[in-house]
Amino acid sequence: MKKIIVILVITLFIVSCGGGKKGEITLPSSTGNTNRILVVMKGTDWLSKSGDEIRKVFGEHQVGLPQPETLLSVSQIDPSGFSSFIRNNKAVLLFQKADSAGISIVKNKYAAPQVIVVATAKNQEDMINLIQTRGKEIIQIFKDEDVKFIQNIFYKERIDHTQLSTIKNLGLDITIPKRYRIVQDTLNNFLWMRQHLQSGIARGDGTNNILIYSVPLKNEESVADNITKVRDSIGEKFIPGSREGMYMITEKAYAPFTYETQIDNKKAYETRGKWEVKNDFMAGPFLNYTVIDKKNNRLVVFEGFTYAPSVNKRDFIFELEAIGKSMKIKE
């Protein structure tokens, strides 16, 4: 009997430590939410100018949101406490002393998925300089990994977009989770989908919305300047308010921010700003990707907008960003 128990224990140990390919060790699932990182550095450094610089760079506000919200939420732990389950955090910024300053990336060391950015510096002065010169790069590393993380989750629960006439007619591929429901999917190649949010003070009254459509490409040089004009015309035509004469427009008191980017390896523009309903009090943030599709002489537009009164909206918009960046134009 004892022999049987010993064999069972050994078998369970082998199964738990080595799944999949021979010799591989199964990593535990990582912990932590998107847009949040764990900084591993000495408490004395965290309370000094080095920590101040981290809070300054990583505490920059995300543009286009109605309430101030930082690009990333940051927490800190001393290296002596970076052990056990704490090491399973999915986004870690680890500071270490070294003869030269720089950053390196380590993935899936203690858990999966996980990204650890190792920042090395000789002294506090070099550390501060490293944060100042490469802080935005570090932020982008974490943001890109979070986008992949969200996209992987959504891919497992993606809607069958071949049933959406607009997606089919425009020749697109995009990962939209099943929680979104169709509001409009018209023969005019305009798609509007909506997810009812279930968190925060909004208590289910808030929504995340997706718009997908295309417009002719007339002059590539003026695309960025006309994004607001195009989205306002779409809002007037397709996004009505509760009464006649009400429809969604770009908030006039807040100038949107537009940046050049790439979607599906094609030139595109990312625009972040605030929307409002004309002659009404509804408002919120939006994210717009306008993709230049030269082959088909058109602009393909993905837009996400959020209505969630009285709650923070950074993470809602970030989910829309992940969906928008999954969009591909079939050749």
Side-chain angles (χ1 to χ4, degrees), residues 82-94:
F82 187 59
S83 60
S84 187
F85 68 92
I86 299 295
R87 298 191 305 185
N88 295 347
N89 199 288
K90 76 178 187 65
V92 179
L93 176 56
L94 175 62

Side-chain angles (χ1 to χ4, degrees), residues 184 190 192 211 213 215 227-241 243 245-250 275-278 288 301 303 305:
Q184 290 186 55
F190 173 82
W192 178 6
L211 309 178
Y213 56 91
V215 294
I227 289 173
T228 297
K229 182 179 179 181
V230 170
R231 71 175 307 277
D232 285 352
S233 67
I234 292 294
E236 183 174 7
K237 186 174 182 180
F238 293 107
I239 317 293
R243 298 179 183 178
M246 295 180 176
Y247 52 87
M248 188 176 74
I249 60 173
T250 307
W275 61 270
E276 63 181 356
V277 174
K278 186 176 181 180
N288 177 296
V301 180
E303 180 163 318
F305 67 93

Side-chain angles (χ1 to χ4, degrees), residues 27-247:
L27 292 169
S29 298
S30 56
T31 59
N33 296 324
T34 55
N35 298 312
R36 288 158 177 80
I37 66 169
L38 176 66
V39 175
V40 182
M41 70 185 312
K42 290 183 178 180
T44 52
D45 291 331
W46 180 250
L47 297 175
S48 68
K49 292 182 179 179
S50 301
D52 290 341
E53 198 60 40
I54 292 173
R55 286 184 285 275
K56 177 183 176 183
V57 173
F58 289 75
E60 182 179 335
H61 290 166
Q62 174 69 66
V63 299
L65 299 178
Q67 297 99 359
E69 295 186 65
T70 58
L71 292 170
L72 293 172
S73 299
V74 179
S75 58
Q76 176 268 343
I77 191 169
D78 192 88
S80 62
F82 187 59
S83 60
S84 187
F85 68 92
I86 299 295
R87 298 191 305 185
N88 295 347
N89 199 288
K90 76 178 187 65
V92 179
L93 176 56
L94 175 62
F95 284 92
Q96 295 179 340
K97 284 197 173 183
D99 292 333
S100 60
I103 64 172
S104 58
I105 301 172
V106 180
K107 291 188 178 182
N108 303 336
K109 184 174 183 179
Y110 303 112
Q114 181 184 56
V115 57
I116 301 175
V117 176
V118 182
T120 58
K122 189 174 183 179
N123 49 44
Q124 186 176 99
E125 183 180 351
D126 286 349
M127 190 183 297
I128 293 171
N129 183 64
L130 180 68
I131 298 164
Q132 290 174 339
T133 57
R134 304 193 69 177
K136 291 188 181 298
E137 178 185 350
I138 293 171
I139 290 172
Q140 197 58 52
I141 291 169
F142 288 122
K143 287 283 190 180
D144 290 344
E145 289 299 316
D146 274 344
V147 165
K148 294 176 186 176
F149 177 75
I150 293 294
Q151 287 176 340
N152 286 336
I153 292 174
F154 286 172
Y155 189 83
K156 295 173 184 177
E157 55 182 54
R158 71 190 308 219
I159 196 169
D160 181 7
H161 60 63
T162 61
Q163 303 301 312
L164 302 172
S165 62
T166 297
I167 300 295
K168 184 178 180 180
N169 293 342
L170 295 180
L172 305 179
D173 185 12
I174 189 168
T175 298
I176 302 173
K178 291 180 180 179
R179 67 189 70 166
Y180 282 83
R181 297 290 184 264
I182 297 172
V183 180
Q184 290 186 55
D185 186 19
T186 71
L187 296 177
N188 295 323
N189 292 334
F190 173 82
L191 175 66
W192 178 6
M193 302 189 76
R194 174 187 291 152
Q195 171 203 355
H196 286 279
L197 304 173
Q198 301 297 324
S199 62
I201 302 172
R203 297 178 183 174
D205 292 334
T207 61
N208 253 6
N209 298 264
I210 291 171
L211 309 178
I212 297 175
Y213 56 91
S214 73
V215 294
L217 173 60
K218 296 179 180 179
N219 180 2
E220 186 176 337
E221 300 301 319
S222 62
V223 170
D225 296 330
N226 289 327
I227 289 173
T228 297
K229 182 179 179 181
V230 170
R231 71 175 307 277
D232 285 352
S233 67
I234 292 294
E236 183 174 7
K237 186 174 182 180
F238 293 107
I239 317 293
S242 58
R243 298 179 183 178
E244 187 176 349
M246 295 180 176
Y247 52 87

Side-chain angles (χ1 to χ4, degrees), residues 313-324:
K313 302 166 184 63
R314 179 191 66 185
D315 294 345
F316 296 147
I317 286 290
F318 187 75
E319 288 194 1
L320 293 169
E321 177 181 343
I323 295 171

